[in-house]
Amino acid sequence: MKVVVMGAGVIGVTTAYYLAKAGAEVTVLDRQDGPGMETSYANAGELSYGMTSPWAAPGIPVKAIKWLFMKRRPLFIWPLISPTMWKWSWQMIQNCNEDAYRINKSRMVRVSNYSRDVMPDLIAETGIDYEGRAQGTLQLFRTAKQMKASRADQEILAEFDSPFEELGRDACIAAEPALAEVRHKFVGGLRLTADRTGDCRMFTMALAEKAAALGVQFQYGQSIKGFAVENGQIAGVETELAGRITGDKYVCALGSYAPILLRKVGINLPIYPVKGYSVTLPVTDDAFAPQSTIMDETHKVAITRLGDRIRVAGTAEIAGYSGRLGPHATDTVKHVIGDLFPKGGDISQAEGWTGLRPMTPDGTPVLGATTFDNLFLNTGHGTLGWTMACGSGRAVADVVMGKQPDIDFDGLTAARYGQ
C-alpha cells in the first residue's frame, strides 16, 4: 500500500514512521527543506500528559478579559475583519462550560495517555536522543488564590488518572533547587509527576532518519496546491514543483494549514492558528537553572530545561496566519525567565521564535477518517502536538492500515463537526 503523508512536523513524521513499520510504502511531503521546521521547531518542550486540558473551560471568558489588561499578558487578540476568527472564537466560548469541558478533556486525555504509554516503546526500539527528561512539571503558584483554585484541578487530575503532588514552598525548592533564590515570589505548586520534557525538533529529525531507514521517502520543498479528486476518491496531491503525487491513501498532517487545503474538497474544520512565542538561551550556571519544566501560572509561561539550554515559551496571540516576530514579541517570556531564574541563563543570547498552534474550539485533535474513504486526518492538536504525537501517529497509522486502533476514536474524528 502506498501512503502519502502531508506534513513533516512531529505529527507527520511519527505517522509516517508507524505506517512504515506496518509495511506501507510512504512518501512525506513538506514545503520546508527539512523535518520539524515550523510548529515543531521551538515549542515549549513539554510532554504535558498531566496538563492535557482544553483551553475552553468554565470561567475562561472572564479570565481572558483580565489577561488582556495585564502588563505582561498571556493573551493578545487582534480585532481582525475575519469571519473565520470570530466564528472560531464563538465556538470556543460555547465550549466554556462544565459539561463540554469534561467531555473534551476526556477525549484529549484518551489520546495523551495513549501517547504517554507508547512513546517509551518507540524510544527503546529506535534509541533516538532528544534530550529527554522524566522529572515532571511543576505548576508554580505566586498567590494563595491560585493555590486554592488548583484544588478543583486536582479533583479532575485524580478522575483521569494523572498523578500529582501538591507542594508547599520548601517542597517546590526541593524539586527545583534554583527556586531558592526567589522563594519570596511564590507560595507553592502542583507537581505533575508523569510529565516529561524533550526537544521536539531534535526528536522529529532523529525519527525522520529512522523512518527513512525503513524506506520512507521525504520530499522537501514541495508546496501543496490541492487535491485531485476522481470518482469520489482522492486521486493525488497536486504540488507546485513535482506535479501530481499519487498513492492509495493520504494523511493530512499539516497543522494550522490543514483547513486551507481541506476546504477545497468540502471538508470544513474549525482549526485556527493561535500564535505562540519562545526564546531559547544557553545555561550559564547549572545550580541556578531549572532541572525540568516550570509552568508559571500567572503568566502562562513554561520554562523547560533542554540539555545545556533553557526553552521559555508562552503567549497566545490570535492574529491569523501572521508569522511576524516583532521586537517586543518575546518580552513576556524573557521577563519570566529573568524573574524566576535570574542567574540560570544568558538572556542576552536568547534566540526568539514564533509558531502557529493548530487549535480546535473544543481542544481535541481531529483524527482518522473523512468523507473520502482514502483520506485521513491527524491535525488540530493545539499546544499538545508534541505531547500527543506518538499516540495519535500510531493510532492514525493503524486506522489507515485497516487495523483496530488501541484507543476509541469516538469524538475524535471530523464527524463531531458534521464532516
Side-chain angles (χ1 to χ4, degrees), residues 286-367:
D286 184 70
F288 296 102
Q291 298 305 307
S292 187
T293 291
I294 294 87
M295 170 60 74
D296 181 348
E297 180 62 17
T298 298
H299 297 95
K300 303 296 183 183
V301 167
I303 305 171
T304 301
R305 179 67 174 271
L306 299 172
D308 59 359
R309 299 165 297 141
I310 302 171
R311 174 74 48 73
V312 195
T315 309
E317 184 172 302
I318 299 175
Y321 286 89
S322 167
R324 182 174 180 269
L325 183 64
H328 306 295
T330 57
D331 283 357
T332 297
V333 292
K334 286 181 178 179
H335 164 75
V336 172
I337 183 64
D339 192 48
L340 294 178
F341 297 93
K343 301 178 183 178
D346 187 351
I347 296 179
S348 70
Q349 295 187 48
E351 176 185 343
W353 171 85
T354 186
L356 301 176
R357 310 162 176 130
M359 298 290 297
T360 61
D362 53 11
T364 308
V366 190
L367 311 180

Side-chain angles (χ1 to χ4, degrees), residues 118-181:
V118 302
M119 186 174 180
D121 294 335
L122 185 150
I123 299 302
E125 70 190 30
T126 60
I128 63 177
D129 176 30
Y130 63 105
E131 294 184 337
R133 297 188 179 207
Q135 296 169 244
T137 294
L138 177 60
Q139 189 177 10
L140 200 66
F141 304 127
R142 293 178 183 259
T143 68
K145 183 178 180 180
Q146 290 174 344
M147 192 88 174
K148 183 179 179 181
S150 77
R151 304 289 161 75
D153 292 333
Q154 291 174 37
E155 292 177 5
I156 295 173
L157 287 167
E159 179 182 344
F160 288 100
D161 194 29
S162 297
F164 64 89
E165 300 171 340
E166 184 178 4
L167 306 180
R169 182 183 284 120
D170 290 339
C172 289
I173 293 171
E176 288 286 351
L179 290 174
E181 294 288 305

Side-chain angles (χ1 to χ4, degrees), residues 99-388:
D99 290 342
Y101 178 82
R102 288 190 172 274
I103 291 171
N104 296 333
K105 183 176 176 68
S106 68
R107 292 169 175 173
M108 296 171 70
V109 168
R110 194 189 316 159
V111 182
S112 68
N113 280 358
Y114 181 55
S115 194
R116 176 194 66 194
D117 295 340
V118 302
M119 186 174 180
D121 294 335
L122 185 150
I123 299 302
E125 70 190 30
T126 60
I128 63 177
D129 176 30
Y130 63 105
E131 294 184 337
R133 297 188 179 207
Q135 296 169 244
T137 294
L138 177 60
Q139 189 177 10
L140 200 66
F141 304 127
R142 293 178 183 259
T143 68
K145 183 178 180 180
Q146 290 174 344
M147 192 88 174
K148 183 179 179 181
S150 77
R151 304 289 161 75
D153 292 333
Q154 291 174 37
E155 292 177 5
I156 295 173
L157 287 167
E159 179 182 344
F160 288 100
D161 194 29
S162 297
F164 64 89
E165 300 171 340
E166 184 178 4
L167 306 180
R169 182 183 284 120
D170 290 339
C172 289
I173 293 171
E176 288 286 351
L179 290 174
E181 294 288 305
V182 293
R183 60 180 299 124
H184 61 288
K185 293 186 177 182
F186 63 93
V187 299
L190 188 68
R191 186 165 177 262
L192 304 162
T193 56
D195 283 13
R196 305 175 190 135
T197 62
D199 189 315
C200 180
R201 182 169 185 251
M202 184 182 292
F203 172 91
T204 305
M205 293 173 66
L207 190 61
E209 290 185 6
K210 297 295 182 181
L214 292 174
V216 175
Q217 298 293 316
F218 288 89
Q219 295 192 23
Y220 298 116
Q222 294 286 6
S223 294
I224 298 170
K225 298 192 297 181
F227 292 111
V229 179
E230 297 176 2
N231 301 318
Q233 294 263 321
I234 301 299
V237 178
E238 302 289 0
T239 67
E240 288 186 359
L241 295 179
R244 183 178 297 185
I245 296 174
T246 62
D248 300 306
K249 296 185 178 181
Y250 302 82
V251 180
C252 183
L254 291 171
S256 296
Y257 295 90
I260 297 174
L261 179 66
L262 293 168
R263 72 170 63 109
K264 295 179 180 180
V265 290
I267 299 174
N268 297 298
L269 298 180
I271 294 173
Y272 194 79
V274 176
K275 195 174 180 181
Y277 296 98
S278 77
V279 294
T280 305
L281 54 151
V283 171
T284 51
D285 190 328
D286 184 70
F288 296 102
Q291 298 305 307
S292 187
T293 291
I294 294 87
M295 170 60 74
D296 181 348
E297 180 62 17
T298 298
H299 297 95
K300 303 296 183 183
V301 167
I303 305 171
T304 301
R305 179 67 174 271
L306 299 172
D308 59 359
R309 299 165 297 141
I310 302 171
R311 174 74 48 73
V312 195
T315 309
E317 184 172 302
I318 299 175
Y321 286 89
S322 167
R324 182 174 180 269
L325 183 64
H328 306 295
T330 57
D331 283 357
T332 297
V333 292
K334 286 181 178 179
H335 164 75
V336 172
I337 183 64
D339 192 48
L340 294 178
F341 297 93
K343 301 178 183 178
D346 187 351
I347 296 179
S348 70
Q349 295 187 48
E351 176 185 343
W353 171 85
T354 186
L356 301 176
R357 310 162 176 130
M359 298 290 297
T360 61
D362 53 11
T364 308
V366 190
L367 311 180
T370 70
T371 50
F372 297 90
D373 61 17
N374 67 336
L375 174 63
F376 302 84
L377 306 177
N378 197 356
T379 187
H381 299 76
T383 60
L384 296 169
W386 178 209
T387 299
M388 296 181 175

